[in-house]
Amino acid sequence: MKKIVLILICFTIISCKKDVQKSEKLYPERASLDKGKQLFKENNCAACHQNNQKIIGPSLEQVATVYKKQNASLKNFLKAQSEPIIDPAQYETMKINLELTKVMSDDELESLETYILSFSK
């Protein structure tokens, strides 16, 4: 009887682990969101961009709302492959910081984009 219970416990643990792994593959957004938050912090983006207030650059809420509303690619902007759509007058200031994002991988940029877009209203 003890062996059967032990086998059932082991089987349950293994099954749960597989479900978590499947979930991570089916829903990569969570990992992407966390990675984007980490990149935002590591690259000191908060020095210019706050969650809900304009400092030097627009707030994350404003960026997310405008980019979603216009169905624009934040990733392309961060790669310096598209024009700014929020406060183009500030573009020269931001251009220096784009040197950091232009060298990021597509996965990193997608994570950063996911994080920023999570602030839309």
Side-chain angles (χ1 to χ4, degrees), residues 33-104:
L33 182 67
D34 291 340
K35 186 173 184 174
K37 184 177 183 177
Q38 178 184 358
L39 287 165
F40 190 84
K41 183 178 179 181
E42 287 174 356
N43 289 285
N44 201 26
C45 301
C48 297
H49 302 283
Q50 295 295 306
N51 295 353
N52 57 6
Q53 92 183 53
K54 179 178 171 62
I55 301 293
I56 295 170
S59 71
L60 295 180
E61 284 180 4
Q62 183 185 14
V63 172
T65 301
V66 169
Y67 271 83
K68 278 189 172 182
K69 185 177 180 181
Q70 294 190 18
N71 199 24
S73 173
L74 187 53
K75 179 180 166 185
N76 285 344
F77 173 70
L78 294 172
K79 289 172 85 171
Q81 295 178 346
S82 67
E83 296 297 315
I85 58 176
I86 302 172
D87 201 1
Q90 288 286 345
Y91 182 64
E92 287 304 313
T93 303
M94 177 65 181
K95 208 170 170 180
I96 296 165
N97 297 316
L98 289 178
E99 295 305 315
L100 294 170
T101 56
K102 286 190 327 190
V103 296
M104 288 182 181

Side-chain angles (χ1 to χ4, degrees), residues 13-28:
I13 291 170
I14 291 169
S15 294
C16 288
K17 186 175 181 181
K18 286 182 182 179
D19 287 343
V20 169
Q21 289 171 342
K22 284 180 190 175
S23 174
E24 288 172 355
K25 288 179 184 175
L26 291 174
Y27 304 104

